[in-house]
Amino acid sequence: MMRCTVNRIPSRSPNDTAAMEKAILEGIIVPQDVVAVLGKTEGNGCVNDFTRGYAVLALKQFFGEYRKESTSTISYVMSGGTEGILSPHFTVISRKGAYNQVGQRQDQKSLAIGVAKTRDFLPEEIGRLAQVDEVAAAVQRAIAEAGIESSAEVHFVQIKCPLLTSEGVHDALSRSQTTVTEDTYKSMGYSRGASALGAAVALGEVERAGLQDTDICNSWHLFSRVASTSAGSELAYCEVIVFGNSDFAESPYFIDHAVMKDSIDAPALKRLLDVHADAEMVQVMAKADADPTGFIRGHRHTMLDDSDINHTRHARAVVGGVLASVCGDPMIYVSGGAEHQGPAGGGPVAVVFKRRD
């Protein structure tokens, strides 16, 4: 029987594993059971944010001391940027046992986790349909691994995706290929958008037939209600982590989600907490975005016009503050840039809960 757990670990720097080691020594985390680590690091969250890769390197070295098998079996997803009150931390996701389709069903559904990876992408594939298709297939593999039988039971799909660097752009040009953009920062949005649409296709939220390259970061009516994507230069492929509920899993943990209509939609999270008031909140995971129209509830915002601070950084600070004010905890996972992740200007918000004894 699959048994999944989620633990939050504070970090004093991207390479700080002291609290992680303490949790292992206390038996809270079993290194051999860890399948993914979702982190927030205090970099700028942009193309040159090396805190993400630094954290992954530190974590790989750390778990390598405990695990005899390759630590490449762990999915590392680092999201840079802890603007405002967001507190740097790691969310450690563990899974003991595996889904068995002939196993005994439980009386209630519990948290089920599936992980998958795509192949490496060529620079000219990033932000285009090739990425959509590869991500869709990976999401479907992760769902199957988790034993989640219905798309309705998928509540959060976290994807770490690559971006374009100047080197990658020149590589494509040297082979007479074009890239979706030559602006490396803009490539982050295209990659996030293509990955989100891949999740949407896998879950039946968007029809693959008729979908075109030009829909990516243009057709905002196409989106996933559960996808959360984050781009970085530290990888050339996509890491996929699917969070859902299954009656083939057994633990006190479960997950639920809502969709924020805009960056100040605090009631979306409040409703989740109210519905599950008899359970303990373990972690909040959300997307943040600057509304591409330049307006929020009829009023103009300037996040997209600021040449000093990228709009994704503004959005993380805003949504982090809004959600922390509701749940009373700044150590939550908020990722910026929500292209095709929830309605334009909004984004999904999910909560992992733990049933009380």
Side-chain angles (χ1 to χ4, degrees):
M1 184 66 65
M2 179 187 297
R3 184 179 179 86
C4 298
T5 59
V6 174
N7 290 282
R8 292 185 304 168
I9 304 295
S11 66
R12 296 172 297 183
S13 64
N15 69 328
D16 176 36
T17 56
M20 190 88 71
E21 183 171 15
K22 183 174 183 291
I24 290 174
L25 292 175
E26 292 176 351
I28 297 171
I29 293 173
V30 178
Q32 290 73 21
D33 294 342
V34 176
V35 294
V37 181
L38 185 61
K40 284 301 302 182
T41 61
E42 60 251 53
N44 59 24
C46 298
V47 175
N48 66 332
D49 184 350
F50 301 110
T51 65
R52 297 178 299 232
Y54 186 27
V56 170
L57 176 61
L59 290 168
K60 284 184 175 179
Q61 292 176 337
F62 174 78
F63 282 108
E65 297 294 321
Y66 288 94
R67 296 167 62 127
K68 293 181 180 179
E69 75 274 23
S70 171
T71 58
S72 63
T73 56
I74 298 176
S75 291
Y76 298 99
V77 176
M78 297 298 122
S79 172
T82 51
E83 295 82 5
I85 49 76
L86 290 172
S87 182
H89 68 283
F90 300 117
T91 301
V92 182
I93 302 153
S94 302
R95 184 181 65 199
K96 189 174 182 63
Y99 162 61
N100 185 342
Q101 62 183 1
V102 297
Q104 182 178 358
R105 292 179 182 271
Q106 301 300 297
D107 294 333
Q108 60 184 354
K109 296 182 185 293
S110 295
L111 180 66
I113 303 292
V115 296
K117 297 179 182 180
T118 68
R119 60 169 174 82
D120 286 357
F121 293 104
L122 293 169
E124 60 267 27
E125 294 177 316
I126 293 174
R128 288 175 169 157
L129 289 177
Q131 185 174 357
V132 172
D133 291 337
E134 290 291 331
V135 169
V139 170
Q140 289 173 335
R141 292 196 302 272
I143 291 172
E145 180 184 86
I148 299 171
E149 297 183 303
S150 167
S151 295
E153 291 298 339
V154 175
H155 292 283
F156 204 67
V157 179
Q158 179 60 52
I159 303 168
K160 186 68 187 183
C161 51
L163 53 79
L164 284 172
T165 62
S166 57
E167 181 182 16
V169 172
H170 287 298
D171 172 64
L173 292 175
S174 73
R175 293 180 285 102
S176 300
Q177 298 294 318
T178 62
T179 52
V180 67
T181 179
E182 294 186 8
D183 185 319
T184 56
Y185 178 71
K186 287 183 179 179
S187 79
M188 299 180 78
Y190 281 106
S191 186
R192 289 190 298 257
S195 296
L197 287 175
V201 168
L203 296 170
E205 297 172 297
V206 169
E207 290 290 336
R208 175 60 178 86
L211 196 63
Q212 301 178 11
D213 283 332
T214 52
D215 287 317
I216 300 170
C217 291
N218 282 299
S219 301
W220 299 120
H221 65 285
L222 303 174
F223 61 85
S224 171
R225 300 175 64 86
V226 297
S228 167
T229 69
S230 175
S233 59
E234 65 271 20
L235 77 177
Y237 55 93
C238 286
E239 292 269 13
V240 175
I241 310 171
V242 168
F243 297 77
N245 296 317
S246 172
D247 52 13
F248 287 103
E250 179 184 31
S251 81
Y253 295 86
F254 65 95
I255 187 170
D256 199 358
H257 83 279
V259 179
M260 297 176 69
K261 64 182 181 182
D262 55 33
S263 57
I264 56 174
D265 187 11
L269 175 58
K270 189 176 186 303
R271 287 192 294 271
L272 279 178
L273 298 179
D274 287 345
V275 168
H276 304 291
D278 56 342
E280 174 189 351
M281 184 199 83
V282 176
Q283 178 60 305
V284 174
M285 302 176 291
K287 286 300 301 187
D289 203 26
D291 194 305
T293 66
F295 289 82
I296 297 177
R297 302 193 188 185
H299 299 287
R300 185 171 70 94
H301 71 75
T302 61
M303 289 185 278
L304 298 171
D305 301 319
D306 193 334
S307 298
D308 296 313
I309 303 175
N310 298 99
H311 61 85
T312 51
R313 306 192 71 185
H314 281 288
R316 275 192 298 270
V318 172
V319 175
V322 168
L323 297 183
S325 72
V326 175
C327 68
D329 194 333
M331 201 166 73
I332 56 179
Y333 180 89
V334 178
S335 172
E339 300 86 356
H340 302 291
Q341 300 152 72
V349 55
V351 182
V352 175
F353 292 97
K354 184 177 183 181
R355 299 182 183 95
R356 302 182 193 277
D357 293 335

